[in-house]
Every structure is written in structure tokens, then in C-alpha cells.
């Protein structure tokens, strides 16, 4: 559906003789001084009549029938203006503003000869989409979750039929892509950090909003000659003193530069201050066109702003002035060196701070390298003022990027799937290197950091250590102000747990180690469900739960379900809420914690596993269990349950498991695998330990 909608848009553009309809925002100061009544091609997105200035339909226009079918592209002497209006279209030279007239409450374009066209019927002018800078109204066409500016879905759901007001429309970082080169577009909802996928809304306003979200994207650029298909090379690289790092060599023609800042430097060759873009630390070898060998630059790396064109984002504001660059071309003064010494001392303190530890690994790496380079500049007697001042700016700039905003969650003790996704993303950015992996574990209640034993290409075979991360480092409570009715409460908030001892006792049972324990029925116990929908995140409200007995029950000694996520108190009675395929409830008084790891059976077979894996926890470790003739292989599900579906074991009577461990399910011990130390969990199946003869890490030939 999305693909067809976008292809229809592109097809319309092709009909007009262009590749796409442009929606790129043009800077406000770049405005075409358009002539009134210039002849321009108009694309009709709807069937359209022509009207006079009083709103009456005209039957003849320029000697022909005053009617245009959808898709028609006639030319008119359409009226534009040098003054800014609320309606415009883009050209290569800038924005062209349309002179409009309001007739019977709607905006019309003057197309000359006494004719006026309703703006709702115009899709594009001069091969460019007609846009407005005013807010637009959009009707939501289906219940949909909104996204934040990073493209992450939240808990907020907008109902079908809701009319929103949007002040922007375009692609967002982390948003979907409909096809190669065609991003999904979104509406920004006024006064929020919420974005609505435009496929889930119908535009009610006459014209689409043209305010895009370029400021959300990290600025990127390419050499200018790349855009016109030139056969020449790319652009030169410069150091902080404005010197060409590799005389005679240039970047590749289609090199993409990520811009870290804008800075005036003194161009030694041209003997003047010029604006440069900072594009890297120069730590990695670079391939240059015309060079047989990779070059290894040192220090900060720059390209001239005049040599490149932005391909994404907006240009950052310069961090200094041309006059400051001219003054800094000489050897640094003692005062400038003193300021750098102070900046280095502060940076070393930052390295020991909590914000440094919680920053993305890429930021920490850049910061460490910036400190090392700052020390070299400080130690050199020939360092220029520009080199010193840039080093100070870079340290401050990178420190500011460490400000990590905590993720707001409705209930810290009851995370929604969307909360967990956002938390996992934040944690993985913090440990984004070859030494770590982050994953949810222990029935999605614990966030664990897996640290590999050593960096190696075969890291999964090296083993590693497991550390439980503190969720409070990533989240901040933003609990809805809901007053619970008498007899209603839940373990979703710590305040409720603190005031209710019985609730606290049951809540503590939720935090069991699923590799060593399970929650089981003390007696045959009935299963309950709610006749009302159980909300997630901010939409959860224990007062709305209405329980009824289903007629199903859990046998004594059987697992109640591994994803018991919450204790709820309904009419004074406590229940475990189990969120599996269908959410259900079990009376808490009928449940006990079975610490099966203390049993002789568990110890016997888990020792066999541990003997093969060793003291570390190898990721994706494979184990082969030799089983008795006639043994069955049981299929497991995504809720770590053993199903009734079984398969014959292979003829050689060996069954393999990845990340193996022993578990107890419905009173029976099984060997299974595929959890905790495998971030891409797939059910591994299971065999009864009573059918196991031996285990090995290598399949015998």
C-alpha cells in the first residue's frame, strides 16, 4: 500500500517531465524575484473547473471548455509575487511565492484571463509540489501508534477519526523506507514530540505543509563535482592549520562526509580565512584517488565548505569567526596554551564521570582521541592559536554530546515492549563496539551486558562475562496521575509495593532466575481473563480490569507461565498477570516459587553442561546430547514452554542445542537452549534429561 502510494506520486512527476516532485525546503533568504503572471505549467491532482473572482463557475476559458481532468498539465500565466505569502513552490533558484485570493472561505490561484483555480486541485507548479508554511489538518484513518523524532514507536495511540494539527511533513531519522531512495513521510503533531506516518492520515487542508525535518538529521556532504557526474576527483583534505594534508591527492568523487562542525581556518595557500567543515579525527587510514597506498592522517580532518554540497541535514553554525581564524594563524600565546591545559584537566575529570560512562561508545572513543590530540598540541611549541582553540572547542563539543536524555516510561516496574526496545537501543549505543553485546534476559526483566573474553573474529567462541545493567541509568518514571479505587492496586509502581506488604511479597517472586527457578501452581488453580482490554505503558489502568473465570485451570506442580510480569490487586484479591499469547491471571495465593536448581536431577545434568562450556559463558556454544533409542524431541515455543508436538530423534541419536541449559517445565526436567546468551532467540526444542546418555561439544564421526 505504501509502495503504491509513493509510486503514484513519482509517476505524476514523470508525467510532468521530471524524475520526482521536489519537496526540499529552500532557505528563506533565497527567494526568486518572480514576475507577475509568468507562464507556468500546472499539474492537476483532481478534476477541476475554472471560477471567476466571485466564485462562479466559468464555462469557457481561453476559448476552450473551462474544465481540466486529473493529471492534466496545461500552462497558465499564473500570478506569483515578490512578497512572501503562505503558498509557494520550489525551483532550483529558490522559493516562488504564489499570489492567492480567498473566495468563499477557500484559497484560489489567479491563472490570468479572469480565471481562478481552487488550490485543492493543484498538485504542482513548474514541476514542483505546491506547499504551504501554515499548519495543516489531518484525519487519522486507523488506530496507530505515534513515533518520536528518532522513529521509535511509543505507547501513545491515536484513534481512528481523530483530527490532528501538523506543522511539518517529511522523512525523519529512523523512519521507514518504502523503497530504495523513497523514505516514508510523517506529520509532526503540533506541540508534541510525536510523528504520525502519513499513510495513516488523510490531508484535510487544501495544500500540503512544506516544513521538512532536515534539522533532525546529522549533516552530510559530498564533493560538488559528484553531483554533476564529473570525471574529476573529489575534494582535498586539510588540517587545522589550513594546509592540504595530501598535496596532489583528493578524496573519491562520491565520498560522503559526516559533518561534525563548521570552523573558520586560515587557508595557507590562498592566504585568507575560509569556512571549513570538520569531518573526522583522522584516526583511520584513508583511500585517496590517485594514491597507491592508504594514507594515515593525524589530528583533525577538514574539507572546505565551498568544495562540498550538503546532501542531508542543515549546515551547522560556525564555531568561530573569520577574524578569529586570522588572529589564530600564528603560534599560540601562553594564555591560549593555559586555556587548553584547563580544558584537558576538565576532560580527564569528565572521563571519570557518570555521563561519560553512559555515553555512546563512538562518542567516548572520539573524546579519548580528542584528549590525546589536545595533549600533543599542548606539548608542541609550534602549535598555532587555531590548533589550540579548535582542540578546546572539540573537547567542549564532544562533552555536550554526552548529555543522554533518559527514556520516560509510565511504569518502571511494568515496561511495555516499546519501552524495552528503546532501552535496548540506548544501551547498545553505549556499548557499540566489538567487545560487548546487550540483550534482555530472565523473562525480559533484566538487561544484561555480555563482555567478550577478548576481541577476535571468532568472538562467539571466546566466552565472556555477564553483568546485569541498572535500568535506572536509562529510564525515568513518568507515571500517569491515576487514583486507584478501593481494593485495586498493582506492582507497577514502587510506591504501591512499599505500602502493601502482601503486594511486595508477591512482587519479589517475579524476579526469579528462570534458569534456576519457576513459578508453579501449589494446587489445581483456575485461570482468569479480563473482559476489558489490558493497556500497555501509559494506557495501563488497573481500575479497568474486569476478571472472569475461564473454565480452564493449571494443574498442581505445573508452570503458571514464564512471562508473569505484574501483580495486580482486584477487589482486594491478588493475582499474577501472565502476558503470553493471551494475557491471563492466576490467584497469587495459588502460586509458589520452585527453586528447582537445588534438586539432585538438575545438578547432575547441569554439571554435564557446565563441564563442556567451562567457567565462562560462550555465546552460541553448541552442545550435542546422545539420547536413548526411542527418545522424543519436543518442540518449544517463544514463551519457553514445552509443547505437545514431538519429533523422532535422528538415526545417530544425537540432538544439538545452542546456549544449552537444564530447565524444569510442568514437573519434568529437560535439556534445552537458545536463551540469555543469544540475542536472536529462536526456540531450540528440548529433550527429557532422563533420555540423555551423554553430552559432547563435538559430534562424533
Amino acid at each position: 500500500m505504501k509502495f503504491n502510494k509513493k509510486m503514484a506520486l513519482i509517476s505524476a512527476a514523470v508525467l510532468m517531465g521530471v524524475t520526482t516532485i521536489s519537496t526540499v525546503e529552500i532557505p528563506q533568504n533565497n527567494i526568486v524575484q518572480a514576475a507577475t503572471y509568468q507562464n507556468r505549467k500546472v499539474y492537476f491532482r483532481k478534476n477541476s473547473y475554472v471560477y471567476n473572482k466571485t466564485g462562479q463557475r466559468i464555462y469557457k476559458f481561453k476559448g476552450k471548455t473551462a474544465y481540466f481532468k486529473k493529471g492534466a498539465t496545461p500552462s497558465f500565466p499564473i500570478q506569483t509575487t515578490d512578497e512572501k505569502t503562505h503558498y509557494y513552490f520550489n525551483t532550483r533558484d529558490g522559493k516562488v511565492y504564489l499570489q492567492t485570493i480567498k473566495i468563499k472561505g477557500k484559497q484560489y490561484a489567479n491563472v490570468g484571463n479572469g480565471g481562478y483555480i481552487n488550490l485543492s486541485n493543484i498538485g504542482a507548479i513548474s514541476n514542483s509540489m505546491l506547499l504551504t508554511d501554515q499548519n495543516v489538518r489531518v484525519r487519522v484513518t486507523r488506530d496507530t501508534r505515534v513515533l518520536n523524532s528518532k522513529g521509535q514507536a511509543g505507547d501513545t495511540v491515536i484513534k481512528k477519526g481523530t483530527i490532528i494539527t501538523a506543522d511539518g511533513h517529511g522523512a525523519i531519522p529512523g523512519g521507514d523506507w518504502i523503497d530504495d531512495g523513497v523514505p516514508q513521510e510523517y506529520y509532526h503533531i503540533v506541540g508534541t514530540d510525536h510523528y504520525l506516518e502519513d499513510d495513516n492520515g488523510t490531508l484535510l487542508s487544501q495544500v500540503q505543509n512544506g516544513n521538512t525535518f532536515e534539522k533532525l538529521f546529522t549533516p552530510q556532504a559530498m564533493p560538488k563535482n559528484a553531483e554533476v557526474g564529473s570525471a574529476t576527483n573529489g575534494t582535498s583534505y586539510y588540517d587545522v592549520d589550513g594546509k592540504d594534508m595530501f598535496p596532489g591527492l583528493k578524496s573519491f568523487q562520491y565520498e560522503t562526509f559526516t559533518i561534525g562542525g563548521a570552523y573558520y581556518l586560515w587557508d595557507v595557500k590562498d592566504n585568507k580565512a575560509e569556512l571549513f567543515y570538520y569531518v573526522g579525527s583522522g584516526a583511520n587510514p584513508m583511500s585517496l584517488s590517485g594514491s597507491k597506498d592508504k594514507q594515515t592522517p593525524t589530528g583533525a580532518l577538514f574539507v572546505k565548505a565551498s568544495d562540498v554540497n550538503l546532501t542531508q541535514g542543515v549546515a551547522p553554525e560556525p564555531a568561530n569567526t573569520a577574524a578569529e581564524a586570522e588572529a589564530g594563524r600564528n603560534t599560540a600565546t601562553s594564555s591560549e596554551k593555559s586555556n587548553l591545559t584547563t580544558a584537558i584537566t576538565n576532560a580527564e575529570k569528565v572521563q571519570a564521570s557518570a555521563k561519560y560512562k553512559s555515553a555512546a561508545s563512538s562518542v567516548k572513543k572520539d573524546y579519548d582521541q580528542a584528549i590525546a590530540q589536545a595533549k600533543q598540541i599542548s606539548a608542541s611549541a609550534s602549535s598555532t592559536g587555531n590548533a589550540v582553540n579548535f582542540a578546546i572547542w572539540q573537547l567542549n563539543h564532544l562533552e555536550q554530546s554526552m548529555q543522554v536524555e533518559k527514556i520516560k516510561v509510565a511504569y518502571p516496574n511494568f515496561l511495555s515492549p516499546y519501552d524495552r526496545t528503546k532501552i535496548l537501543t540506548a544501551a547498545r549505543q553505549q556499548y557499540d563496539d566489538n567487545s560487548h553485546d546487550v540483550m534482555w534476559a530472565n523473562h525480559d526483566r533484566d538487561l544484561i551486558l555480555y563482555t567478550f573474553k577478548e576481541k577476535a573474529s571468532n568472538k562467539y567462541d571466546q566466552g565472556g562475562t555477564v553483568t546485569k545493567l541498572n535500568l535506572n541509568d536509562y529510564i525515568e518514571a513518568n507515571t500517569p496521575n491515576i487514583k486507584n479505587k478501593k481494593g485495586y492496586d498493582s506492582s507497577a509502581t514502587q510506591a504501591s509495593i512499599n505500602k502493601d506488604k502482601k503486594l511486595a511479597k508477591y512482587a519479589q517472586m517475579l524476579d526469579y532466575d528462570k534458569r534456576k527457578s519457576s513459578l508453579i501452581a501449589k494446587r489445581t488453580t483456575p485461570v482468569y481473563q479480563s473482559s476489558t482490554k489490558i493497556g500497555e505503558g501509559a494506557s495501563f489502568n488497573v481500575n479497568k480490569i474486569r476478571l472472569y473465570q475461564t473454565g480452564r485451570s493449571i494443574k498442581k506442580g505445573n508452570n503458571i507461565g514464564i512471562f508473569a510480569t505484574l501483580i495486580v490487586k482486584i477487589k482486594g484479591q491478588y493475582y499474577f498477570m501472565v502476558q503470553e499469547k493471551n494475557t491471563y491471571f492466576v490467584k497469587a495465593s495459588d502460586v509458589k516459587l520452585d527453586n528447582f536448581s537445588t534438586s539432585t536431577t538438575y545438578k547432575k545434568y547441569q554439571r554435564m553442561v557446565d563441564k563442556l562450556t567451562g567457567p565462562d559463558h560462550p555465546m552460541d556454544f553448541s552442545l550435542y546430547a546422545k539420547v536413548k533409542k526411542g527418545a522424543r524431541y519436543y518442540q518449544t515455543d517463544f514463551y519457553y514452554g514445552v509443547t505437545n508436538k514431538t519429533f523422532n530423534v535422528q538415526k545417530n541419536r544425537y540432538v544439538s542445542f545452542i546456549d544449552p541449559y537444564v530447565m524444569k517445565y510442568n514437573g519434568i526436567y529437560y535439556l534445552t537452549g537458545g536463551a540469555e546468551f543469544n540475542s536472536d532467540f529462536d526456540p531450540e526444542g528440548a529433550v527429557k534429561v532422563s533420555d540423555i546418555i551423554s553430552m559432547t561439544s563435538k559430534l562424533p564421526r
Side-chain angles (χ1 to χ4, degrees):
M1 174 182 168
K2 296 177 185 176
F3 177 80
N4 291 339
K5 187 197 79 167
K6 294 298 178 185
M7 288 308 293
L9 177 63
I10 295 170
S11 298
V14 171
L15 285 173
M16 295 183 289
V18 292
T19 54
T20 58
I21 296 177
S22 172
T23 58
V24 178
E25 184 176 14
I26 305 296
Q28 293 286 348
N29 59 356
N30 190 12
I31 301 172
V32 174
Q33 300 300 308
T36 302
Y37 293 114
Q38 182 175 336
N39 211 49
R40 297 180 185 275
K41 184 187 291 185
V42 173
Y43 167 74
F44 284 93
R45 65 188 183 97
K46 296 180 181 178
N47 295 337
S48 180
Y49 294 105
V50 182
Y51 299 85
N52 63 22
K53 64 180 180 180
T54 63
Q56 295 176 322
R57 179 181 166 188
I58 297 174
Y59 291 90
K60 288 291 183 179
F61 182 66
K62 297 176 68 175
K64 297 181 180 180
T65 302
Y67 173 74
F68 300 95
K69 289 186 177 181
K70 176 182 177 181
T73 58
S75 292
F76 297 116
I78 197 162
Q79 186 178 22
T80 58
T81 175
D82 293 343
E83 297 180 2
K84 180 179 177 181
T85 68
H86 291 301
Y87 300 95
Y88 64 92
F89 52 94
N90 293 316
T91 70
R92 288 187 177 274
D93 297 318
K95 288 183 178 179
V96 175
Y97 287 101
L98 192 65
Q99 185 67 60
T100 63
I101 180 174
K102 184 177 276 190
I103 303 174
K104 296 181 179 180
K106 294 184 178 180
Q107 296 291 339
Y108 285 73
N110 186 339
V111 293
N113 299 96
Y116 296 84
I117 301 291
N118 190 327
L119 289 192
S120 295
N121 301 331
I122 298 176
I125 300 174
S126 294
N127 296 339
S128 181
M129 185 179 289
L130 181 60
L131 300 167
T132 181
D133 63 0
Q134 293 182 310
N135 293 348
V136 295
R137 297 167 69 248
V138 178
R139 178 183 287 116
V140 179
T141 54
R142 62 173 66 90
D143 290 0
T144 182
R145 292 185 185 274
V146 294
L147 285 71
N148 64 16
S149 60
K150 297 178 181 178
Q152 299 167 332
D155 295 313
T156 302
V157 176
I158 299 182
K159 296 292 185 181
K160 177 181 178 180
T162 302
I163 296 176
I164 65 162
T165 301
D167 59 2
H169 178 255
I172 59 175
D176 291 333
W177 287 77
I178 296 166
D179 190 22
D180 291 343
V182 183
Q184 174 63 52
E185 294 184 321
Y186 299 81
Y187 289 107
H188 175 252
I189 303 175
V190 172
T192 71
D193 183 36
H194 293 160
Y195 293 78
L196 172 75
E197 191 173 313
D198 70 353
D199 279 350
N200 293 331
T202 298
L203 181 67
L204 300 179
S205 299
Q206 282 186 276
V207 181
Q208 181 63 273
N209 185 282
N211 299 326
T212 58
F213 312 122
E214 285 298 302
K215 290 183 178 179
L216 298 177
F217 290 85
T218 301
Q220 290 185 348
M222 290 181 69
K224 279 188 174 179
N225 56 32
E227 293 194 357
V228 296
S230 171
T232 58
N233 297 326
T235 184
S236 298
Y237 293 100
Y238 297 83
D239 64 17
V240 72
D241 291 318
K243 296 177 182 177
D244 190 337
M245 276 190 162
F246 311 105
L249 300 176
K250 293 182 181 292
S251 73
F252 283 120
Q253 179 181 348
Y254 298 102
E255 189 80 28
T256 298
F257 306 107
T258 298
I259 298 172
Y263 210 85
Y264 279 100
L265 300 176
W266 186 257
D267 188 326
V268 175
K269 182 179 178 182
D270 295 337
N271 199 36
K272 65 177 182 178
E274 282 200 49
L275 184 63
F276 286 76
Y277 289 140
Y278 167 57
V279 295
S281 60
N284 299 316
M286 299 172 56
S287 295
L288 299 175
S289 181
S291 173
K292 295 181 180 179
D293 303 311
K294 286 187 175 181
Q295 307 293 326
T296 306
T298 58
L301 204 62
F302 299 84
V303 295
K304 282 186 180 181
S306 58
D307 286 347
V308 298
N309 281 334
L310 286 176
T311 56
Q312 174 179 290
V314 297
E317 289 293 325
N320 65 341
T321 65
E324 288 171 335
E326 183 174 5
R329 60 179 170 161
N330 298 317
T331 304
T333 65
S334 58
S335 176
E336 288 171 329
K337 282 287 190 77
S338 177
N339 291 338
L340 180 57
T341 300
T342 301
I344 293 171
T345 301
N346 175 71
E348 290 174 334
K349 292 178 181 177
V350 170
Q351 282 181 309
S353 69
K355 68 179 179 181
Y356 172 88
K357 294 175 182 177
S358 62
S361 62
S362 58
V363 174
K364 288 187 284 191
K365 181 180 178 181
D366 288 345
Y367 195 65
D368 294 345
Q369 193 160 343
I371 293 174
Q373 291 174 356
K375 289 180 177 179
Q376 290 177 2
I377 292 170
S378 179
S380 174
S382 60
S383 295
T384 63
N386 284 333
V388 168
N389 292 329
F390 177 79
I392 295 172
W393 173 85
Q394 187 180 25
L395 290 174
N396 291 333
H397 180 70
L398 288 171
E399 182 183 351
Q400 290 173 7
S401 68
M402 294 178 193
Q403 304 299 330
V404 179
E405 185 178 352
K406 288 192 175 183
I407 298 162
K408 292 183 179 180
V409 299
Y411 299 103
N413 294 341
F414 182 42
L415 299 175
S416 72
Y418 302 96
D419 292 332
R420 290 197 295 272
T421 297
K422 288 183 282 189
I423 294 166
L424 184 62
T425 299
R428 283 182 168 171
Q429 287 176 344
Q430 181 184 349
Y431 296 100
D432 182 20
D433 55 40
N434 292 325
S435 299
H436 302 92
D437 194 10
V438 182
M439 63 198 82
W440 285 102
N442 205 24
H443 45 110
D444 287 355
R445 293 187 67 84
D446 295 333
L447 189 67
I448 65 168
L449 173 67
Y450 188 97
T451 304
F452 298 109
K453 191 174 182 181
E454 60 183 73
K455 292 182 180 179
S457 58
N458 59 335
K459 62 183 180 182
Y460 297 111
D461 298 328
Q462 301 302 309
T465 58
V466 176
T467 307
K468 182 178 175 181
L469 297 175
N470 186 354
L471 283 177
N472 291 325
D473 290 341
Y474 303 95
I475 62 176
E476 177 183 329
N478 187 27
T479 305
N481 187 19
I482 299 173
K483 186 176 181 180
N484 289 336
K485 296 190 298 187
K486 185 177 180 180
Y488 286 73
D489 211 340
S490 77
S491 60
T493 63
Q494 194 60 41
S496 293
I497 293 174
N498 293 341
K499 73 180 181 182
D500 188 329
K501 291 184 179 180
K502 187 173 276 191
L503 187 69
K505 182 188 76 171
Y506 291 131
Q508 192 173 15
M509 292 170 64
L510 292 170
D511 290 321
Y512 65 90
D513 184 342
K514 81 174 186 64
R515 287 191 170 222
K516 297 181 179 180
S517 307
S518 60
L519 294 172
I520 64 173
K522 291 195 290 188
R523 59 186 69 86
T524 298
T525 181
V527 172
Y528 298 83
Q529 283 189 304
S530 177
S531 58
T532 56
K533 188 176 180 180
I534 307 299
E536 294 178 347
S539 61
F540 172 74
N541 186 345
V542 71
N543 298 317
K544 294 183 178 180
I545 297 176
R546 300 288 181 268
L547 297 184
Y548 66 92
Q549 194 168 330
T550 63
R552 295 185 294 113
S553 60
I554 298 173
K555 292 182 180 180
K556 178 182 179 180
N558 280 5
N559 296 59
I560 69 162
I562 196 163
F563 286 100
T565 57
L566 200 63
I567 305 297
V568 296
K569 183 179 180 182
I570 310 294
K571 295 182 179 180
Q573 177 68 55
Y574 299 88
Y575 299 84
F576 281 93
M577 186 169 87
V578 185
Q579 289 186 289
E580 297 197 348
K581 187 175 182 180
N582 296 302
T583 299
Y584 59 90
F585 300 79
V586 179
K587 283 185 178 179
S589 57
D590 290 342
V591 177
K592 71 176 182 178
L593 185 63
D594 179 20
N595 294 313
F596 58 77
S597 64
T598 60
S599 71
T600 303
T601 302
Y602 172 87
K603 290 179 180 179
K604 174 184 175 181
Y605 290 96
Q606 188 60 46
R607 270 199 302 265
M608 294 170 69
V609 173
D610 294 341
K611 186 177 180 180
L612 295 173
T613 62
D616 295 320
H617 302 269
M619 185 178 284
D620 289 351
F621 177 86
S622 294
L623 176 150
Y624 301 90
K626 185 177 182 180
V627 296
K628 299 174 182 176
K629 185 176 181 180
R632 305 294 292 175
Y633 175 83
Y634 292 82
Q635 184 173 312
T636 52
D637 58 29
F638 281 96
Y639 305 106
Y640 304 96
V642 180
T643 70
N644 293 324
K645 190 172 183 179
T646 63
F647 302 92
N648 291 322
V649 177
Q650 304 102 315
K651 290 182 180 179
N652 57 15
R653 294 186 293 168
Y654 280 92
V655 181
S656 66
F657 296 98
I658 298 176
D659 299 332
Y661 65 99
V662 176
M663 71 169 181
K664 184 181 180 184
Y665 185 79
N666 289 349
I668 300 173
Y669 289 92
Y670 295 89
L671 177 66
T672 186
E676 248 80 332
F677 310 120
N678 187 337
S679 40
D680 298 319
F681 169 66
D682 284 319
E684 283 283 311
V687 293
K688 293 179 180 179
V689 297
S690 57
D691 287 334
I692 294 175
I693 299 172
S694 61
M695 299 182 197
T696 180
S697 59
K698 294 182 180 179
L699 189 63
R701 293 183 178 181

